[in-house]
């Protein structure tokens, strides 16, 4: 049994849902999930659909027929994903290990339906973690002066391993434009939600001094504008005057792990659709 996931967006008009569902019905497809959203301000239609085919089906033929009979009629931006292969995910890290451990634990337990061919870091500190999980670890130093050269090496590795998307698990470097262009809306980052008010290396210390009442975390796709890409997932937790800086850091790191994991899962399950720097998430 073959399963596909369809993501589309196009100018809103009548008949789209009927035409799409009819297409799969005529090809003996069983639609078991469908959701749609209309951005009325911009008159844009969005849809996510999951379909199973009870008989052996050539997915390439389905794609070609869908393009010819539906896509061209409605001027759609679209993608059909098959469940035949798992997405290939690369992880970038620096020295913080909490997000890396969380991702690898979820991966080993089967919670994240991906393969992880490699981990890339600008430091050697977490190499042993990668070895413990049996994943190749590449140390590629990156500074402000060597960032583009490092990106070239990184890109060669990513292309060699046929990587589908990248997760920045607290990778403390600015991602070069060349890498962003090669993986548009396919690089997921995690950061605390203090930006831009509490930017810098010690946001929790700054937040503590200001007596904030909530802290949070945000996962988003990376764009050339630093920490301003389409948001995938966010969460918060309340704190009080009784919490120390250490408490804020621990609570913040817990949120970072959870929010990053959710963002990764939404991406893996093809539940995100980016349009005009905004992410539509079908949950």
């Amino acid at each position: 049994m073959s399963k596909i996931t369809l993501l589309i967006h196009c100018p809103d008009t009548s008949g789209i849902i009927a035409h799409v569902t009819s297409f799969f019905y005529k090809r003996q497809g069983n639609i078991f999930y469908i959701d749609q959203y209309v951005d009325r301000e911009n008159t844009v239609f969005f849809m996510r659909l999951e379909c199973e085919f009870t008989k052996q089906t050539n997915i390439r033929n389905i794609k070609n027929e869908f393009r010819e009979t539906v896509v061209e009629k409605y001027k759609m931006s679209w993608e059909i994903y098959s469940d035949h292969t798992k997405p290939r995910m690369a992880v970038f890290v620096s020295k913080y290990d909490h997000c890396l451990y969380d991702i690898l634990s979820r991966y080993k337990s089967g919670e994240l339906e991906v393969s992880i061919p490699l981990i890339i870091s600008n430091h050697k500190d977490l190499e042993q973690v990668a070895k413990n999980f049996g994943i190749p670890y590449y140390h590629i130093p990156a500074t402000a002066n060597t960032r583009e050269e490092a990106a070239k090496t990184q890109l060669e590795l990513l292309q060699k391993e046929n990587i589908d998307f990248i997760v920045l698990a607290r990778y403390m470097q600015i991602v070069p434009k060349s890498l962003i262009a090669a993986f548009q809306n396919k690089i997921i980052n995690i950061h605390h939600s203090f930006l831009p008010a509490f930017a810098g290396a010690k946001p929790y210390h700054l937040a503590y001094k200001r007596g904030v009442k909530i802290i949070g975390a945000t996962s988003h796709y990376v764009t050339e504008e630093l920490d301003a890409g389409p948001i995938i997932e966010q969460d918060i937790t309340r704190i009080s005057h009784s919490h120390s800086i250490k408490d804020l850091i621990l609570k913040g790191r817990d949120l970072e792990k959870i929010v990053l994991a959710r963002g990764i899962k939404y991406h893996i399950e093809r539940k995100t659709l980016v349009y005009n720097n905004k992410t539509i998430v079908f949950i």
Side-chain angles (χ1 to χ4, degrees), residues 185 221-223 225 228-231 273-280:
N185 297 324
Y221 289 114
V222 174
T223 61
E225 186 176 357
I231 293 170
L273 201 161
V274 177
Y275 181 79
N276 284 351
N277 208 46
K278 178 181 179 181
T279 308
I280 308 300

Side-chain angles (χ1 to χ4, degrees), residues 72-100:
E72 294 177 1
K73 176 179 176 63
Y74 294 102
K75 299 179 181 178
M76 290 179 175
S77 294
W78 66 291
E79 190 65 61
I80 289 180
Y81 300 96
S82 171
D83 69 340
H84 288 162
T85 57
K86 292 181 180 180
R88 296 172 65 81
M89 179 179 84
V91 182
F92 281 38
V93 295
S94 289
K95 292 185 176 182
Y96 293 114
D97 61 6
H98 57 289
C99 286
L100 179 63

Side-chain angles (χ1 to χ4, degrees), residues 98-99 170 189-199 202-205 207-208 211-220 227 231 233-240 247-260 262:
H98 57 289
C99 286
R170 294 306 305 272
N189 189 29
I190 183 69
H191 67 67
H192 49 81
S193 290
F194 300 135
L195 295 173
F198 299 113
K202 295 187 176 182
Y204 293 106
H205 292 71
Y208 176 80
V212 298
K213 301 300 182 281
I214 60 171
I215 58 173
T218 300
S219 63
H220 66 94
D227 292 329
I231 293 170
E233 175 68 342
Q234 294 178 296
D235 206 347
I236 61 169
T237 188
R238 296 198 66 84
I239 59 173
S240 73
D247 292 330
L248 266 67
I249 292 173
L250 291 175
K251 285 177 175 289
R253 288 181 177 177
D254 281 343
L255 279 176
E256 289 170 8
K257 292 186 291 185
I258 293 169
V259 171
L260 180 58
R262 288 178 190 162

Side-chain angles (χ1 to χ4, degrees), residues 7-212:
L7 288 172
I8 63 172
H9 73 266
C10 62
D12 185 38
T13 187
S14 61
I16 300 174
I17 297 175
H19 204 158
V20 171
T21 54
S22 176
F23 172 88
F24 290 105
Y25 173 75
K26 291 177 180 178
R27 288 156 183 80
Q28 297 183 309
N30 175 39
I31 297 172
F32 60 92
Y33 172 94
I34 186 170
D35 194 5
Q36 64 278 332
Y37 162 71
V38 176
D39 180 343
R40 298 194 180 278
E41 182 179 352
N42 297 298
T43 62
V44 180
F45 176 85
F46 301 87
M47 175 188 281
R48 180 178 183 275
L49 176 149
E50 293 183 36
C51 181
E52 290 178 338
F53 297 92
T54 55
K55 295 184 178 180
Q56 189 66 29
T57 303
N58 189 311
I59 301 300
R60 181 176 295 179
N61 290 342
I62 290 290
K63 288 183 177 181
N64 291 336
E65 292 171 8
F66 188 77
R67 180 188 298 108
E68 295 169 0
T69 61
V70 183
V71 171
E72 294 177 1
K73 176 179 176 63
Y74 294 102
K75 299 179 181 178
M76 290 179 175
S77 294
W78 66 291
E79 190 65 61
I80 289 180
Y81 300 96
S82 171
D83 69 340
H84 288 162
T85 57
K86 292 181 180 180
R88 296 172 65 81
M89 179 179 84
V91 182
F92 281 38
V93 295
S94 289
K95 292 185 176 182
Y96 293 114
D97 61 6
H98 57 289
C99 286
L100 179 63
Y101 270 116
D102 187 70
I103 289 170
L104 297 182
S105 296
R106 294 174 189 269
Y107 162 68
K108 282 297 184 182
S109 70
E111 181 180 338
L112 298 178
E113 292 288 335
V114 293
S115 59
I116 305 179
L118 76 167
I119 296 171
I120 292 176
S121 179
N122 57 320
H123 297 283
K124 294 183 178 180
D125 299 55
L126 302 180
E127 185 172 7
Q128 188 59 47
V129 178
K131 287 183 178 179
N132 291 343
F133 284 88
I135 299 174
Y137 185 92
Y138 295 88
H139 173 225
I140 304 175
T143 65
N145 295 327
T146 64
R147 190 172 292 132
E148 288 299 333
E149 182 180 347
K152 182 179 179 181
T153 304
Q154 291 167 349
L155 193 54
E156 289 174 354
L157 275 172
L158 297 171
Q159 291 172 339
K160 178 182 177 182
E161 294 293 343
N162 296 313
I163 296 300
D164 295 304
F165 73 105
I166 301 167
V167 173
L168 307 182
R170 294 306 305 272
Y171 182 65
M172 310 304 287
Q173 289 286 318
I174 295 175
V175 181
K177 294 180 181 180
S178 57
L179 205 58
I180 295 172
F183 289 87
Q184 188 173 16
N185 297 324
K186 293 180 180 179
I187 305 177
I188 301 173
N189 189 29
I190 183 69
H191 67 67
H192 49 81
S193 290
F194 300 135
L195 295 173
F198 299 113
K202 295 187 176 182
Y204 293 106
H205 292 71
L206 297 175
Y208 176 80
K209 290 180 180 179
R210 287 289 302 276
V212 298

Side-chain angles (χ1 to χ4, degrees), residues 7 221 232 263 266-267 270-274 279-282:
L7 288 172
Y221 289 114
I232 306 170
Y266 293 155
H267 184 87
R270 317 298 186 185
K271 292 184 176 180
T272 64
L273 201 161
V274 177
T279 308
I280 308 300
V281 182
F282 295 98

